[in-house]
């Protein structure tokens, strides 16, 4: 039997949800007593979303799935696969996907493949690849795939705390997509590392080696770019350089690393002797030709010089991707796709025919560079409609900025509640938009109960069985 | 671009590892002071493997991957995708897959897609589907996929404790396989349930509602069988009954549930009025026609009657699949594939041309019924060679039976060590076969160090970066 006939498989539709509560990085600098600019310029971040005690990764994913189905008018019966990427563990056995099944059980659709994929911030990319492969496989039954990335990034008191964030993204997968995969250009780098991990099972906070994590990220980037270029060159018979990408979208723990990463790709092009690197750049980067790759990751002068020569390209190819990550923070599995949503928001009118290169990274470590080809699409799966439904400006503008003190208090309460049972939340939904799911209580058997903020009408979600 | 040209994609090769230490269920009955036969007949279990403090799901998966590559003479560079299914959480962010990357990094292969799939005992099936879909997708690069199922099932003191077990299974995936998928016959049932889950993050033990879990399992079985039969009938234009399966392999938490499950399928065939159900069975099952499906799950008389009429079919179609699950116990994600390995062990000489129906179940809940078509295969990927390499009889016979007291002491030590840092294991490898990986110590940063039991030579595995 021939494999699936599906062509141009990729992302048909997207929706995003992030909590309506955020803290400003400049206010956090004052609160933490650090030097001015440490978070805003040093990390490159503007503000950070966080879940209060009524929201979590399950509620956010319920909210965004319901929202996508409603906004694009998709019958839940038309979903044949549902995959979740997350690294925020609420239960070590029961997948987040099973909570989402409540939405589909309501209309009698329980024949939906897929579970949760996990490795740090990479799980969403794994889920996306799995869904796309399913559509291209013999097992495809003609229905849509649905990928959900949901995470809440929180850190213990200390230098990593301002690199948190929270969001959930849903992506509808199928053939004839406006955002389709160039499947043959794909480079992965997977290795054993302890740069960021969560071995303390009783705590929500990770163990982080910030410096190691940055080096691992850049090494993985180099390795993925190398494989990506080789595969491109094998298929296209010509050299690849960053000029062949209209936009480059990076997983964004904080914006500064994205700036460094793009400069690193430019340095790679220089080393590979791409004809696209101009004379001025060659001159400025020449002193660093002899560095070992290990040395090159630590060399501050190289970092500065490469960022300087790549600056104008960064402005055109990367800057438009940074809006949501800078405003919402690190969303772990959702970060890369929030950056991608930013470029759709900023550039949807001119994206058709363009190539977007994506770099996904998850500590531990797993990473892949891959490529999207964009076309206009057809309503409701058009770039314009996706941009309208994402509605980024309004979602960002309608947020509530809370003082750092309230943010810290929220984290303290969550520390106490992490892995706990037998408690009732405040059920305070005053800041949540209508249609948002929220946690009402956790019973003595650790079972979690959610409700939906209605338009005045209470709309409880029943517990399964 | 047309999708992958790969045909008859499926399992090319298998290997299995389970700990060399086990406890006898009849001795556990005496130790626990329960009635004779409660575990051996009531649960249908013979013995139970368990990890001592020198083994865990990471070491077992390292052992089985290394063993598969060696036994089938596979160059690690030929692996293009590696997926792990597990519900035993040692780290909430870093995937087990990244530990396994050590084996591939050694020979310079880091371009390997895939991460961990998780939902209770179903993660291995998700990983298997993902790998097969990859081979059938546009992204396939011609290399093999590798699926690893690894779990250690342990329970708090009480009635669930004798339903533990431990094992790791590795499966090589590619085209022209002796064990290939009948991709169009597949029925899934996914729903939100709290039958078995792990919300207490600081403990390795699950929260289990044994009665609910059994009902959820049987309901999921009914639903999957219903969808499976409908899809078969749509494609084949004729009714499906269990007579169309040469063997039926069930996820096996304990053997008694497998007996009930097969009887349940027979009862389904009776209700669907399959011509294959004989007159005697129709007569014996007639009194239960009027039961609601809810009532039917609780009715002991129906359970007995259906088991009685299905008994001879059970002997031929299911009994050969039960060897390893009865001897090793519940291996969670590995259980279904250990049952499948049992039928290869018992029947490899006569399997060619036959159909094997598989039922995968993970609490929470996710479940799928799917189907394999078997052919002889070609060396080294032949049924005979797979059976020889699995070497089940020798592995079972060479185990060390330990008294229940030692098993309980091992569990106590593991409770203490779960999620802990800064400890050294006994490094006692006297019972481990050569080539087995074992845990040597966990440092103050929770980093885990493993070594391989050599033939006299110490062979430490270095820590990543």
């Amino acid at each position: 039997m021939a494999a699936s006939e599906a062509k141009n498989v990729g992302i048909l539709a997207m929706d995003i949800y992030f909590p309506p509560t955020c803290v400003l990085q400049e206010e956090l600098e004052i609160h933490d007593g650090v030097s001015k600019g440490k978070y805003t310029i040093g990390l490159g971040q503007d503000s950070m979303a966080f879940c209060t005690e009524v929201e979590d990764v399950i509620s956010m994913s319920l909210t965004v799935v319901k929202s996508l189905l409603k906004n694009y008018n998709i019958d839940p019966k038309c979903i044949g696969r549902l995959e979740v990427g997350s690294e925020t563990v609420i239960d070590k056995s029961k997948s987040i996907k099973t909570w989402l099944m409540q939405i589909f059980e309501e209309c009698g659709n329980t024949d939906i493949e897929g579970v949760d994929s996990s490795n740090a911030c990479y799980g969403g990319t794994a889920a996306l690849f799995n869904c796309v492969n399913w559509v291209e496989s013999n097992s495809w039954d003609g229905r849509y795939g649905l990928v959900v990335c949901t995470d809440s990034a929180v850190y213990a008191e200390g230098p990593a705390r301002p690199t948190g964030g929270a969001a959930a993204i849903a992506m509808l997968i199928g053939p004839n997509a406006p955002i389709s995969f160039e499947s043959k250009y794909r480079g992965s780098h997977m290795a054993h590392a302890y740069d960021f991990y969560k071995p303390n099972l009783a705590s929500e906070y990770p163990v982080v080696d910030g410096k190691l994590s940055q080096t691992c990220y850049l090494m993985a980037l180099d390795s993925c770019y190398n494989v990506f270029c080789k595969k491109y060159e094998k298929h296209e018979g010509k050299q690849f350089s960053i000029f062949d990408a209209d936009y480059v979208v990076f997983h964004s723990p904080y914006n500064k690393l994205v700036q460094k990463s793009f400069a690193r790709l430019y340095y790679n092009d220089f080393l590979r002797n791409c004809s696209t690197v101009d004379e001025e750049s060659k001159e400025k980067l020449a002193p660093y030709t002899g560095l070992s790759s290990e040395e090159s990751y630590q060399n501050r002068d190289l970092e500065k010089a490469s960022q300087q020569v790549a600056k104008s390209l960064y402005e055109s190819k990367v800057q438009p991707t940074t809006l949501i990550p800078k405003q919402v923070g690190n969303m772990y599995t959702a970060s890369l796709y929030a950056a991608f949503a930013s470029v759709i928001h900023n550039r949807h009118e001119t994206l058709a025919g363009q190539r977007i290169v994506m770099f996904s990274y998850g500590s531990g470590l797993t990473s892949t560079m891959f490529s999207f080809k964009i076309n206009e699409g057809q309503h409701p799966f058009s770039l314009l409609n996706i941009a309208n439904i994402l509605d980024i400006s309004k979602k960002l503008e309608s947020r509530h900025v809370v003082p750092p003190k309230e943010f810290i208090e929220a984290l303290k309460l969550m520390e106490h509640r992490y892995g706990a049972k037998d408690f009732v939340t405040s059920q305070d939904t005053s800041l949540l938009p209508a249609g948002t799911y929220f946690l009402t209580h956790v019973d003595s058997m650790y079972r979690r109960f959610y409700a939906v903020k209605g338009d005045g009408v209470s709309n409880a979600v029943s517990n399964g069985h």
Side-chain angles (χ1 to χ4, degrees), chain A residues 381-411:
Chain A
F381 306 138
S382 67
L383 296 177
L384 175 63
N385 196 42
I386 295 172
N388 285 340
I389 285 171
L390 285 170
D391 205 8
I392 303 299
S393 296
K394 191 177 147 212
K395 280 177 188 163
L396 287 174
E397 282 158 19
S398 60
R399 292 194 297 173
H400 305 264
V401 174
V402 305
K405 201 168 152 277
E406 266 183 49
F407 163 65
I408 308 292
E409 275 164 16
L411 285 187

Side-chain angles (χ1 to χ4, degrees), chain A residues 87-146:
Chain A
E87 63 159 285
T88 308
V89 172
I90 289 182
D91 192 287
K92 292 181 296 180
S93 170
K94 182 173 161 60
S95 62
I96 293 172
K97 187 256 177 82
T98 61
W99 270 283
L100 292 175
M101 282 310 300
Q102 292 172 98
I103 291 172
F104 301 91
E105 284 177 77
E106 272 174 20
C107 66
N109 183 11
T110 61
D111 184 21
I112 302 183
E113 287 189 18
V115 294
D116 291 5
S117 288
S118 59
N119 185 86
C121 306
Y122 184 88
T125 297
L128 176 60
F129 289 176
N130 289 340
C131 254
V132 167
N133 291 348
W134 172 69
V135 175
E136 293 178 347
S137 79
N138 287 322
S139 307
W140 187 47
D141 64 2
R143 292 185 294 167
Y144 296 122
L146 186 57

